[in-house]
Amino acid sequence: MSINSTTPTIILSLDRIYRLVNKFPAFTRPTIHVTGTNGKGSVTALVASILHETGLRVGRFNSPHLLHVRDSISIGLKPVSESRYFETRSVVDRANDEGDKGEEAPRASLFEALTVTAMRIFEEEAVDIAVIEVGMGGRLDSTNVLPEKGVIKVSAMTAVDVDHVQWLGSTPPEIAREKAGIARSGVPFVLGPQMRGDVEGIVKETVAASGGRLVNAPSISLLGTSHRNSRGSLRELPPPPTMVQYQPPNDIRPLTLTLPLHGQHQIDNLSTALGIIECLSQQPEYTHRIDNSSIVRGVRNTRWPGRMEFFQYSPSTERVVTILADGAHNKASATSLRRYIDEISPGRTSFVLSLSHSLSKDPSETLEPLLRPGDSAFMVPFSSVEDMPWVKPVNPTEMVTVAKRLIGESERIMTDQEAPEEARNSTGSNGRRIFGRPFRTAGNIVLLVSLLVAGVHITLFSLLFQL
């Protein structure tokens, strides 16, 4: 997959990255390869955390990055050092710019070069296992340059929905076929829970054609909670972890797991992750490494920053505001986000929103599941994105037009340019720019705050303020 460095033109092809990767020794690290529309990052975080608890040295590659490009490559659950990243990236970039024996230089895209950089770091660091997230699609994604035989131990697919339609197809079955293109002969392919009933058949067909073996993710049971008050809101924010029950194969007793990732959809992601672990534990080299205690610890200790993550903000010494940050970027993930907000705090919600521009996506597709009459919305741009210059924000005034239709004409909709001058120019103690303006909503003062950090590019950065 190649992305033009200045425009959002994506060319689906593996030609350039194959030319680049073939300039280096073969990649040999055992690998778990995960595709899907939503939930890929959460699944890789869960799997990596569980495997880390077994004592394995785990490499993980996710995209896009959160703050800095090297965030996307981690070993032992920590981003690789700046020096380690740039040492390998400089070698990859030189190889990318040089021809070989009369052949032209690969001229791979930034993302293709990043993928090769991750592979080289994992290989040179001799990680015990790598957990790699597909960038977009599957069949022609840069990560599908992984060797055909002997490397991939488990492939998996999270929930499939409509996204990137100009490249992957306009229907869930078309998109699922592209994503299932990562399947390998003789390798188990875990299919996570699906919201779309027409996905499973096409995945089964595609996996079978590749010679892979389709495995359905195990079921997870939600254990009852008593954390709500008489109005239906949670008694505390951030809310406590979710308690679930899982029945391991070949074990008579179920496991009770503490899931710190928030939202009903994370139970499905956990199901997919545990399906991967089950398939891996059936392979001789991992049978005695993975046990129930490593699963319990790994799930409990999972962290996935910027995805339904809670923060505490103190606008004054008298009070603390709870902020929920998430990276929902399409209709399905925005629907999951709003559902979760309604579960923890029914009623009016205040949002700080930033959307990335997409030729195939109208802002209303993401905003319609989120915004309702009575809500407040503060529209902001985001800063430039390291190594992703084609990612640009939707103009906040365009978002305001959509929000007025959904919320109604009111003073509860504004952009960063409409904030008071002193608020727009102020900074927090950590150097982050802070925008703020009080709104009166149902008798309460709600302060909308946007924390803009260089490199933050979560496609939809939405914040819930609970007073």
Side-chain angles (χ1 to χ4, degrees):
M1 178 178 69
S2 175
I3 307 177
N4 184 290
S5 62
T6 57
T7 67
T9 301
I10 295 179
I11 303 170
L12 292 180
S13 169
L14 296 179
D15 293 344
R16 294 164 303 279
I17 191 171
Y18 266 123
R19 293 203 302 271
L20 178 57
V21 82
N22 286 337
K23 289 190 168 202
F24 297 95
F27 180 75
T28 64
R29 297 298 90 198
T31 299
I32 293 165
H33 200 194
V34 182
T35 188
T37 301
N38 298 312
K40 302 187 297 293
S42 298
V43 169
T44 61
L46 285 159
V47 169
S49 183
I50 292 170
L51 294 179
H52 176 78
E53 292 295 335
T54 69
L56 292 171
R57 192 160 186 252
V58 184
R60 191 177 83 207
F61 178 50
N62 296 105
S63 61
H65 55 277
L66 184 61
L67 296 178
H68 305 287
V69 68
R70 65 183 179 86
D71 294 346
S72 60
I73 305 171
S74 65
I75 296 178
L77 306 185
K78 296 180 180 179
V80 295
S81 68
E82 186 174 349
S83 59
R84 185 68 180 89
Y85 171 77
F86 284 111
E87 176 186 348
T88 303
R89 182 60 184 262
S90 63
V91 173
V92 171
D93 286 344
R94 282 197 301 272
N96 193 29
D97 292 335
E98 296 173 355
D100 188 26
K101 297 179 181 179
E103 295 183 0
E104 65 180 38
R107 307 296 184 192
S109 70
L110 289 170
F111 181 67
E112 289 168 337
L114 177 63
T115 301
V116 176
T117 300
M119 293 170 63
R120 295 319 309 158
I121 289 175
F122 294 156
E123 187 69 29
E124 292 163 10
E125 293 287 334
V127 299
D128 296 316
I129 193 164
V131 184
I132 294 181
E133 174 188 354
V134 167
M136 185 185 76
R139 181 176 64 91
L140 295 176
D141 181 72
S142 300
T143 62
N144 213 28
V145 75
L146 291 164
E148 283 290 329
K149 296 182 179 180
V151 166
I152 298 179
K153 300 299 180 181
V154 184
S155 306
M157 181 187 290
T158 63
V160 172
D161 215 294
V162 176
D163 203 4
H164 304 302
V165 296
Q166 69 268 49
W167 299 292
L168 304 180
S170 59
T171 68
E174 290 176 318
I175 295 169
R177 186 186 299 277
E178 282 295 317
K179 292 182 180 294
I182 69 168
R184 295 290 199 272
S185 178
V187 175
F189 187 103
V190 177
L191 180 62
Q194 300 294 321
M195 297 293 292
R196 305 277 192 164
D198 50 359
V199 164
E200 186 170 354
I202 200 69
V203 173
K204 184 176 181 180
E205 174 187 313
T206 306
V207 172
S210 74
R213 175 171 59 89
L214 188 68
V215 178
N216 288 317
S219 60
I220 305 292
S221 301
L222 177 65
L223 297 179
T225 60
S226 57
H227 302 291
R228 300 185 182 279
N229 60 28
S230 59
R231 298 188 304 275
S233 300
L234 288 172
R235 292 195 181 100
E236 58 178 302
L237 286 175
T242 302
M243 306 303 295
V244 299
Q245 196 170 72
Y246 158 64
Q247 179 63 59
N250 307 318
D251 198 323
I252 60 173
R253 293 179 300 178
L255 289 181
T256 297
L257 302 176
T258 303
L259 179 62
L261 306 183
H262 300 292
Q264 177 68 32
H265 61 289
Q266 292 294 1
I267 297 176
D268 290 343
N269 292 333
L270 176 59
S271 171
T272 306
L274 292 174
I276 293 170
I277 295 298
E278 286 183 6
C279 289
L280 198 63
S281 65
Q282 293 167 7
Q283 300 177 28
E285 58 267 48
Y286 302 103
T287 299
H288 301 294
R289 295 298 299 259
I290 301 172
D291 57 21
N292 288 348
S293 62
S294 61
I295 293 174
V296 170
R297 293 194 308 272
V299 173
R300 184 182 63 229
N301 294 332
T302 299
R303 299 293 180 268
W304 190 220
R307 283 73 170 182
M308 288 201 185
E309 183 178 13
F310 285 89
F311 299 89
Q312 301 292 326
Y313 172 72
S314 300
S316 69
T317 57
E318 288 77 25
R319 63 183 182 136
V320 175
V321 177
T322 298
I323 301 171
L324 174 64
D326 188 55
H329 61 282
N330 53 37
K331 182 178 180 179
S333 53
T335 299
S336 294
L337 174 59
R338 184 72 207 209
R339 184 186 302 120
Y340 178 65
I341 291 171
D342 289 342
E343 288 174 359
I344 64 173
S345 185
R348 295 175 176 177
T349 301
S350 298
F351 290 94
V352 175
L353 297 168
S354 186
L355 293 175
S356 66
H357 176 71
S358 173
L359 293 176
S360 65
K361 207 183 307 181
D362 186 272
S364 61
E365 291 183 34
T366 305
L367 295 180
E368 282 179 355
L370 277 179
L371 302 179
R372 296 177 184 166
D375 288 341
S376 300
F378 189 26
M379 311 304 189
V380 299
F382 51 76
S383 50
S384 60
V385 182
E386 184 181 8
D387 263 18
M388 299 178 73
W390 61 88
V391 178
K392 305 292 184 183
V394 173
N395 191 315
T397 57
E398 184 180 350
M399 296 165 63
V400 166
T401 300
V402 177
K404 286 182 177 179
R405 175 169 57 84
L406 300 171
I407 294 176
E409 296 279 349
S410 77
E411 64 174 12
R412 293 191 300 270
I413 304 172
M414 64 183 294
T415 70
D416 61 307
Q417 295 302 311
E418 297 169 309
E421 184 69 20
E422 64 274 15
R424 286 192 280 118
N425 292 332
S426 64
T427 61
S429 59
N430 56 4
R432 295 174 174 179
R433 295 171 60 199
I434 300 175
F435 301 96
R437 174 178 174 180
F439 283 93
R440 229 169 246 290
T441 309
N444 294 321
I445 296 293
V446 178
L447 178 69
L448 298 186
V449 177
S450 172
L451 303 180
L452 301 185
V453 187
V456 171
H457 61 280
I458 301 175
T459 310
L460 169 63
F461 192 71
S462 49
L463 306 180
L464 163 69
F465 299 82
Q466 175 67 36
L467 299 183

